[in-house]
């Protein structure tokens, strides 16, 4: 893994425990993080939560590495703010794609869109790609890059079900990501758009298939 990342011209820093990780993150301001769920001194989930609590770290890709016995840690890590979970042993292309090391287009990836498609609307939601801005009922909503791409993809297909595999491939770079990754990000996105528990949702979960942005959400 280290050879593959460094071979792409990326500077890599490795630390052995969570405390040193937090210190290194504060000093070096890395552009991506790969954190093992099982770390001595400070565990991986706590590292993720601590990083996300620092202003300006919303858009740093954080991959939480989990083994076969780490499913509780995977769920906790996603709730703490991890961008995605990756399994051990690592699949090198999967990890590289997720942290953005591979810059070439993936097969089936969306191609650049005309300028007229920069603004997407769905009910009270407006997404402006050029300004990287989301508004809900006219008010600006702070949305991190990963959730921004997720919302854009759902808005493009408003009224249609977008399969989980498509969302994982287009937003996370791999359809092999932990299956609860999307659910956690959709839950965060719903909260950002002002949904409270029990309210009608504007992003529907279609069990066993995927997610759908309601073309005309009922917010009454």
């Amino acid at each position: 893994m280290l050879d593959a990342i460094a071979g792409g011209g990326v500077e890599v820093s490795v630390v052995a425990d969570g405390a040193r990780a937090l210190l290194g993150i504060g000093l070096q301001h890395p552009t991506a993080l790969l954190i093992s769920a099982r770390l001595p001194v400070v565990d991986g989930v706590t590292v993720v939560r601590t990083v996300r609590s620092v202003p300006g770290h919303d858009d740093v890709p954080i991959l939480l590495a989990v083994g076969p016995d780490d499913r509780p840690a995977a769920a906790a890590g996603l709730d703490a703010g991890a961008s995605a979970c990756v399994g051990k042993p690592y699949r090198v292309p999967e990890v590289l794609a997720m942290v953005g090391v591979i810059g070439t287009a993936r097969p089936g990836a969306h191609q650049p869109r005309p300028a007229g498609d920069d603004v997407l609307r769905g009910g009270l939601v407006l997404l402006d790609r050029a300004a990287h801005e989301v508004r809900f009922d006219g008010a600006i909503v702070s949305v991190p890059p990963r959730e921004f791409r997720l919302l854009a993809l759902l808005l493009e297909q408003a009224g249609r079900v977008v399969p989980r595999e498509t969302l994982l491939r287009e937003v996370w770079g791999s359809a092999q990501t932990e299956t609860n990754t999307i659910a956690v990000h959709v839950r965060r996105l719903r909260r950002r758009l002002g949904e409270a528990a029990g309210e009608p949702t504007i992003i529907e979960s279609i069990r066993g298939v995927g997610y759908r942005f309601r073309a005309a959400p009922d917010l009454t």
Side-chain angles (χ1 to χ4, degrees):
M1 175 63 69
L2 294 177
D3 289 342
I5 295 176
V10 178
E11 183 180 349
V12 181
S13 178
V14 180
V15 294
D17 64 64
R20 293 182 183 181
L22 289 172
L23 179 61
I25 292 165
L27 293 174
Q28 300 178 29
H29 305 289
T31 55
L33 301 171
L34 175 60
I35 301 172
S36 176
R38 298 193 181 193
L39 286 175
V41 186
V42 178
D43 65 89
V45 174
T46 300
V47 172
V48 173
R49 184 178 297 108
T50 303
V51 171
R52 288 298 191 221
S53 69
V54 178
H57 285 67
D58 282 349
D59 58 349
V60 177
I62 302 179
L63 305 184
L64 187 68
V66 295
D69 299 326
D70 294 332
R71 297 197 68 84
L78 290 168
D79 280 330
S83 305
C85 291
V86 294
K88 294 181 179 180
Y90 297 121
R91 299 181 184 91
V92 175
E94 175 184 350
V95 175
L96 295 182
M98 286 183 176
V99 299
V101 174
I102 296 176
T104 55
R106 301 182 306 277
H110 288 327
Q111 298 302 314
R113 302 168 181 82
D117 291 340
D118 278 350
V119 177
L120 301 170
R121 300 173 186 270
L124 299 178
V125 178
L126 181 147
L127 183 146
D128 187 334
R129 283 197 182 91
H132 203 279
E133 183 177 274
V134 174
R135 290 179 179 268
F136 182 77
D137 198 15
I140 293 179
V141 179
S142 176
V143 178
R146 182 91 58 181
E147 291 169 35
F148 186 92
R149 295 196 296 273
L150 175 61
L151 178 60
L153 189 54
L154 291 171
L155 277 171
E156 287 173 6
Q157 303 294 326
R160 301 177 180 178
V161 179
V162 183
R164 286 196 304 264
E165 293 77 11
T166 300
L167 292 170
L168 288 171
R169 184 176 62 250
E170 298 297 338
V171 179
W172 280 269
S174 171
Q176 304 303 316
T177 310
E178 284 284 331
T179 54
N180 60 347
T181 296
I182 301 178
V184 172
H185 282 75
V186 167
R187 186 163 65 245
R188 293 178 191 161
L189 193 52
R190 286 169 175 161
R191 288 199 297 263
R192 294 183 197 281
L193 297 178
E195 286 192 18
E199 289 185 353
T201 184
I202 60 176
I203 302 177
E204 294 180 311
S205 302
I206 310 301
R207 184 179 295 275
V209 182
Y211 292 85
R212 174 173 57 201
F213 189 98
R214 296 176 64 179
D218 179 9
L219 301 178
T220 59

